[in-house]
Amino acid sequence: MELQGASDINLKGPRSKKKKLDEYNNWRPWPDLPEPMLDLITKSLGPIDYLMFGCVCRTWRSYVATYKKGFLASQPPLVLFLSTHARRACYFYSIFDRKLYKAILPNLIGKSCLGVTCGYLVLKDKEERTDSQIWLLNPFTRHELRFPSPPKTYCHFILATLATPLPEFVLIAFCRWQPYFQFCRSTDVHWTVYDYNDKFNSSPRHNPWMIVDGAVFKGKVYVLTSHAELGILNLNSHPYVTLLKVKGIADLNCRLQFRLLASDEQLLMIRGIIEFDYHTVFELNFLKMKWVQRQSIGDQALFLGHRTGSGLYNITRWKGHPQCANCIYKVGSATNKYGVQFLDGRYPKSFPIMQGKCMPDFNLGNYPFWWSFGFTNNFQPGMALQRGSYINLTEPRSKKKRRVDNSDWRPWSDLPEALLDLITQSLGAIDYLMFGCVCKGWRLYVAAYKQEFMASQPPLFIFLSRNAKRACYFYSIFDHRFYKAKLPNLVGKSCTGVTCGYLVMKDKKKTEDSQIGLLNPFTRHELHFPNPPNVCSRFILASLATTLPAFVLIAFGGCGPYLQFCRSTDSSWTVYDSREKFIGFREPIPSIVDGVVFKGKIYVITVYAEIGVLNLNSHPYVTLLRVKNIELEIFTWRLRLLGYNEQLLMIYETSSNEYEVYVLNFLKMEWEKMQNFGDQALFLGHIKGSGCCNLSTWKGRQQPSNCIYVVGYQTCVYTLHFLDGRYPELIIHSHRMPNVFLPFWYFPHVSCSVDSVSDD
C-alpha cells in the first residue's frame, strides 16, 4: 500500500494551487546549471560528445575549455578510419565502448591521408602539382596548418612548435629508405633538405644508414636510425644530427623494424619482428645511456598503428574502462580486426573492430590507425591553437549584438530522463526528495522511481532532541553527511520508536484527549490514534486489505500478558488478555516481546522464544506455531523478530552482549542459526529501529558486510559485530551530535509503503 502525502514534500498528493505569477517562472537558462551538475553530466560523455557539449552555450563552452585537458586524458584511444574516397567525413571507433562516431571535416576531395602527428591528420594532394601542399588538420579543434609540398620523397612526419614569441611550427619529413631529411617552418616558403649520405661514416654500421623514426622529447627532436642508434636533430642555421653514445642492441637484421616513442618521462624504442608481428619494448636509461628491455609495463598499455599513430597510456586513468593492461594493442592492414600482444607470456589474441556493425568501405583506402586525445595537449604550455571553426574551444566566440529573447532559456522539466538519472545517482535519500520539489516534471520522475532509489540507499541515524520543536536530524555513517529535516510542531511530544518508516510520537503529559501520532518524516504523512489504555513500549503499523485506505496499530510491551490494537477507523483500543486468548500454550502465560508483519501475517514472539500468528478478525487470537525450540536463557526480553525478503529472522542478544541470528525454516518448522550473512548486514537499534540490508545494492559504497551494526546508548558511537569471529569494532564519530533521545536506525526504503495484512 503506497502512502498518500499531506504536505509540500509529499510526492503523490497534489500540490496546493497557487496563482501563477509568471508564465516563465519555471524557465531557467542552461548556463544556470551549477558546475557540480555539469560534472555529473560530462562523466557519462565520450570525447566527441564532450566537445559538442561545449557548443550549447558560453558557460558550457568555458567549462569544457577549463577541464578539457584532464577529461581527454581520461579517454582511451580511438581507431580512426579515413577512406580514400572521403569527401567531408572520417570515422572514429572505440574498441572499448563499441561506439562509432562520424566527424564532419572540410573538403577532402582529391586528398589522401599519410598519417597523424600531434593530433593532426597529414593530408596531401593525390595529384602532384606545382602548387601542391601538405595540409595538417586537427579534426577536433579544426585548426589547420599548410606547408608547401616537400621536394623529395617522404613518408613520415614530425610536427613540433618552436619556442618563439609568436606561434610558430616546424614540420619534419623523412623517408626510412632515403639518406636525408627535410624540414620547413610555418614561416618558410621553401623546405630545407639535409643530406647525410656521407656524414656518418664513423658509424659502426654505416651501410646502409637511415633515419627510421623520430620523436619530440623534453624539448629535443630525437631520431632513431636503422642500426638502433639514437641521435638528436638540431634545426639551427646549420642543421645536423648528433649521435649519442648509447649501448645498442646486438641482434640487428633486415627483419627488424624500429620505432621511437616519447611518453611522459620515458623515451621508448619498440623493436618489431616483421614476420611474426612480435614486438619488444626498450626504455632508454639516461644515467647509463643504455637501452633496457621492459619485461612489464604495469598498468600501462602500448598502442601501435601501422606506420603511424602510436602511444603508451596508463589505463587506470580511463574512467569506467576496465581493460587489459601490460599489453600491446595493434591495428594493421586488416581493417576489421585488432590484435593484443600480452607481455606476461599469454598467447596473442585478435578481436573484430566493429563486431555487429557495418564497417565503412576502406578496401581501397588507408590503413586504420590509433587516435589519442592526448595528442591535442602535446604543444608548448600556454600556446593555444588559433580558431579555425565553430568547434574550437580556446578562441572567444565572435562578438555579435545580443538580442533580448528567450532562445537560450528552457524549462527544467525539459531535461531528458537519462540526464535526470545521472543527476540522481549522486544524491542521497534526503536530496532525492528535495530534487522532486523543483518542478512538476522532476516531481513525477521522483515518484516513478522512488521505491527503487530508496532500496539502494543505506540506513540513516535519526536523532530527535528532547527539546525538539520542529526538526529532527539524519546522519549517514557511510557518507558522513548530516541533514536537518523540518517537521510539524513537536512541542510536548516524545518519540517512542519507529515502525514502517513512521516516527511514533506520544504526548509527554497525558490528558483525556492525548493521542499517539505517527509521522513519516519523508512524505509528511500523518496518522493519529487515541492513547492506548495500557503501558506499551513497542508498536507495529500495518495496512488493511480493504477498499478504502485503512491502518491498524498494534501495541504491546511492559510486563503485562496482553496486547492491544486500534484501527484507523476505531475510536478506542481493543485490549486482549493473552491469558485467555492464547491457544495451545502452556502455563505460565508469558508476555509478547516483539512482532513483525511478514507475508501478510502478523508474527509475534514471546519471552520464551515461542512464535505465533496474531489474527485480528472478529474473534482475535494468537495461534502458537509448533516450532522446535532453541536453547536460550529461561526468560529473556532480548528477542526481536525481523522480516527481510523471504526470510523471517529472530535476533537474540545474550547476557554477554553477543548476538545470535536465527532464520525460520518453514519446511522443517525449526530455527536455524545463521553463520554467514554474505553481502548482507544487520542493523540493530536500542529497542527501536532495526532492519537487514543487502549492501551490494548500495551504489558506490564499499562498507563492511556479514556483520551487525549496533547503535547503543551513546549518540556518537556504534559497534560492528562480525560473524566471521573477529573482535567487535567500536566506531566513534567526530561530529558534534545534538542532545537527543537514544538514536536509532531509519531505513529510507520502508518510507515508501506500509506492510499489508488481511483483516479476515
Side-chain angles (χ1 to χ4, degrees):
M1 178 173 179
E2 294 186 347
L3 305 181
Q4 303 300 313
S7 81
D8 59 325
I9 282 193
N10 160 47
L11 304 177
K12 287 289 183 181
R15 301 175 70 178
S16 59
K17 295 182 179 179
K18 296 181 180 179
K19 185 177 180 181
K20 195 170 184 179
L21 300 179
D22 188 357
E23 184 179 356
Y24 297 103
N25 64 346
N26 190 33
W27 291 56
R28 299 291 186 276
W30 291 117
D32 279 3
L33 281 178
E35 190 167 300
M37 192 174 291
L38 297 181
D39 291 338
L40 287 171
I41 297 170
T42 54
K43 281 180 181 178
S44 68
L45 299 182
I48 311 293
D49 299 326
Y50 182 82
L51 296 175
M52 298 306 298
F53 180 82
C55 299
V56 173
C57 60
R58 179 175 294 182
T59 302
W60 294 15
R61 179 186 178 90
S62 300
Y63 173 86
V64 167
T66 302
Y67 299 103
K68 175 185 170 187
K69 186 173 182 178
F71 178 88
L72 295 182
S74 69
Q75 300 300 308
L78 304 176
V79 180
L80 173 61
F81 300 96
L82 185 61
S83 172
T84 51
H85 306 297
R87 295 187 177 185
R88 290 190 63 86
C90 67
Y91 294 86
F92 293 92
Y93 180 74
S94 171
I95 63 173
F96 305 118
D97 293 340
R98 298 181 181 178
K99 293 181 179 179
L100 182 66
Y101 304 93
K102 181 179 179 181
I104 303 298
L105 302 178
N107 187 11
L108 300 177
I109 297 176
K111 304 289 185 181
S112 63
C113 182
L114 299 176
V116 62
T117 174
C118 288
Y120 285 77
L121 300 177
V122 183
L123 302 163
K124 72 169 186 176
D125 294 324
K126 293 180 181 179
E127 297 181 2
E128 293 287 342
R129 303 186 305 271
T130 55
D131 59 346
S132 293
Q133 289 184 322
I134 295 294
W135 179 29
L136 277 72
L137 169 66
N138 190 311
F140 288 102
T141 64
R142 300 300 199 278
H143 183 248
E144 300 179 21
L145 293 169
R146 295 183 184 270
F147 296 86
S149 186
K152 289 183 174 291
T153 306
Y154 54 88
C155 60
H156 295 278
F157 291 91
I158 302 173
L159 178 66
T161 58
L162 298 175
T164 56
L166 296 177
E168 189 175 348
F169 297 86
V170 61
L171 184 63
I172 306 165
F174 58 92
C175 178
R176 62 180 60 191
W177 310 115
Q178 301 296 331
Y180 53 78
F181 68 84
Q182 43 199 335
F183 66 90
C184 181
R185 296 180 178 88
S186 53
T187 55
D188 295 343
V189 178
H190 303 289
W191 286 75
T192 301
V193 181
Y194 179 71
D195 192 327
Y196 52 79
N197 190 32
D198 57 350
K199 292 184 170 55
F200 297 102
N201 294 328
S202 60
S203 175
R205 306 177 182 86
H206 61 276
N207 191 19
W209 192 98
M210 309 292 175
I211 292 176
V212 296
D213 206 359
V216 179
F217 180 67
K218 292 188 175 181
K220 297 180 180 179
V221 181
Y222 288 83
V223 293
L224 187 67
T225 75
S226 54
H227 298 151
E229 294 173 310
L230 188 67
I232 296 178
L233 176 60
N234 298 270
L235 300 177
N236 54 16
S237 56
H238 300 284
Y240 61 92
V241 174
T242 304
L243 291 179
L244 304 178
K245 293 182 179 180
V246 179
K247 294 181 182 179
I249 302 172
D251 183 18
L252 293 174
N253 55 62
C254 61
R255 298 177 304 160
L256 298 179
Q257 189 180 58
F258 296 95
R259 300 191 195 182
L260 197 62
L261 179 64
S263 175
D264 295 334
E265 299 296 318
Q266 305 171 86
L267 185 61
L268 305 177
M269 177 177 66
I270 296 93
R271 183 183 69 179
I273 302 177
I274 300 175
E275 296 177 358
F276 303 103
D277 193 26
Y278 181 82
H279 294 82
T280 310
V281 182
F282 295 85
E283 180 183 355
L284 181 60
N285 186 325
F286 281 90
L287 294 178
K288 299 181 179 180
M289 292 304 291
K290 176 182 178 181
W291 289 112
V292 179
Q293 183 174 349
R294 294 282 299 271
Q295 303 294 339
S296 172
I297 53 178
D299 291 331
Q300 299 176 107
L302 180 63
F303 288 77
L304 290 181
H306 182 74
R307 296 189 304 175
T308 185
S310 302
L312 182 70
Y313 308 98
N314 191 329
I315 286 186
T316 59
R317 298 170 65 182
W318 301 348
K319 300 175 183 178
H321 298 280
Q323 302 299 330
C324 295
N326 193 30
C327 60
I328 304 175
Y329 292 83
K330 310 172 188 178
V331 290
S333 58
T335 61
N336 62 339
K337 287 187 178 182
Y338 70 93
V340 180
Q341 175 189 326
F342 301 97
L343 298 184
D344 56 6
R346 284 181 287 168
Y347 194 77
K349 295 182 179 180
S350 62
F351 303 91
I353 292 181
M354 292 191 196
Q355 187 173 8
K357 292 183 179 289
C358 181
M359 175 76 69
D361 181 16
F362 297 106
N363 294 331
L364 301 176
N366 301 299
Y367 296 141
F369 49 88
W370 297 110
W371 172 275
S372 170
F373 294 94
F375 289 153
T376 59
N377 301 318
N378 287 343
F379 298 100
Q380 294 288 340
M383 181 172 183
L385 303 182
Q386 300 302 310
R387 184 176 185 269
S389 81
Y390 65 95
I391 258 186
N392 167 47
L393 302 176
T394 56
E395 179 77 7
R397 301 178 70 178
S398 59
K399 295 182 179 179
K400 296 181 180 179
K401 185 177 180 179
R402 188 169 182 178
R403 293 177 298 173
V404 180
D405 59 21
N406 294 324
S407 60
D408 195 32
W409 290 59
R410 299 292 186 275
W412 291 115
S413 56
D414 276 5
L415 283 179
E417 189 169 302
L419 193 51
L420 298 182
D421 289 339
L422 284 172
I423 298 171
T424 54
Q425 282 177 9
S426 67
L427 301 182
I430 308 294
D431 297 327
Y432 184 80
L433 296 175
M434 299 306 298
F435 180 82
C437 299
V438 174
C439 61
K440 185 177 181 180
W442 294 15
R443 178 186 179 90
L444 295 175
Y445 172 87
V446 167
Y449 298 102
K450 177 185 174 187
Q451 192 155 356
E452 178 184 351
F453 178 87
M454 292 300 177
S456 68
Q457 298 300 305
L460 304 171
F461 264 157
I462 183 169
F463 302 93
L464 192 59
S465 172
R466 297 177 177 87
N467 304 317
K469 294 183 178 180
R470 290 191 62 87
C472 68
Y473 297 87
F474 292 95
Y475 178 73
S476 172
I477 64 172
F478 305 113
D479 295 340
H480 304 292
R481 293 182 180 179
F482 207 68
Y483 304 93
K484 181 179 180 181
K486 295 289 186 181
L487 300 178
N489 187 12
L490 300 177
V491 177
K493 305 286 186 180
S494 63
C495 181
T496 62
V498 63
T499 173
C500 287
Y502 284 77
L503 301 179
V504 182
M505 313 294 295
K506 68 177 182 179
D507 294 325
K508 293 179 181 178
K509 295 181 179 180
K510 288 188 177 182
T511 60
E512 292 183 358
D513 57 349
S514 293
Q515 289 185 322
I516 292 291
L518 276 73
L519 169 65
N520 190 315
F522 279 11
T523 66
R524 301 299 200 277
H525 184 248
E526 297 183 28
L527 293 170
H528 294 277
F529 296 87
N531 204 45
N534 297 309
V535 178
C536 55
S537 59
R538 297 198 180 182
F539 295 88
I540 303 173
L541 178 66
S543 63
L544 298 174
T546 56
T547 306
L548 297 176
F551 297 88
V552 60
L553 184 63
I554 306 160
F556 52 88
C559 301
Y562 51 79
L563 62 88
Q564 44 200 339
F565 70 90
C566 181
R567 296 180 179 87
S568 53
T569 55
D570 296 341
S571 58
S572 60
W573 288 74
T574 303
V575 180
Y576 290 93
D577 194 322
S578 57
R579 289 173 295 185
E580 301 175 359
K581 303 301 179 183
F582 273 84
I583 299 177
F585 191 76
R586 59 179 175 80
E587 295 291 342
I589 299 296
S591 297
I592 295 174
V593 294
D594 204 2
V596 68
V597 178
F598 180 69
K599 291 187 176 182
K601 297 180 180 180
I602 303 173
Y603 289 84
V604 294
I605 192 169
T606 71
V607 291
Y608 292 107
E610 294 184 293
I611 188 170
V613 177
L614 174 61
N615 298 270
L616 299 178
N617 56 14
S618 56
H619 301 284
Y621 59 91
V622 173
T623 303
L624 290 179
L625 305 180
R626 295 183 178 180
V627 179
K628 295 180 182 178
N629 291 337
I630 54 178
E631 295 183 1
L632 303 177
E633 296 176 0
I634 297 177
F635 183 85
T636 179
W637 289 87
R638 299 182 176 184
L639 290 175
R640 304 186 197 184
L641 274 184
L642 180 63
Y644 175 70
N645 288 346
E646 299 297 317
Q647 298 176 317
L648 183 60
L649 306 178
M650 178 179 65
I651 300 99
Y652 168 52
E653 182 182 0
T654 67
S655 56
S656 56
N657 292 328
E658 296 180 354
Y659 294 88
E660 298 176 0
V661 182
Y662 298 85
V663 58
L664 181 59
N665 186 326
F666 282 91
L667 294 177
K668 299 180 180 180
M669 291 305 291
E670 66 179 8
W671 292 108
E672 296 178 351
K673 188 174 182 179
M674 295 186 68
Q675 304 293 340
N676 193 311
F677 286 168
D679 290 332
Q680 301 175 109
L682 182 63
F683 292 80
L684 294 180
H686 178 71
I687 301 179
K688 49 201 172 188
S690 300
C692 192
C693 296
N694 189 333
L695 272 64
S696 63
T697 63
W698 300 352
K699 300 174 183 177
R701 297 176 176 89
Q702 300 296 327
Q703 299 299 333
S705 59
N706 192 31
C707 59
I708 304 175
Y709 293 76
V710 181
V711 57
Y713 296 89
Q714 301 182 47
T715 61
C716 59
V717 176
Y718 70 93
T719 309
L720 286 179
H721 293 262
F722 299 97
L723 269 68
D724 56 7
R726 282 182 287 168
Y727 195 76
E729 183 178 346
L730 189 68
I731 310 295
I732 301 177
H733 286 288
S734 58
H735 285 269
R736 182 181 178 182
M737 302 300 180
N739 180 27
V740 298
F741 295 112
L742 295 177
F744 50 91
W745 300 107
Y746 188 87
F747 299 87
H749 68 278
V750 302
S751 67
C752 303
S753 60
V754 176
D755 296 323
S756 179
V757 296
S758 175
D759 197 25
D760 297 336

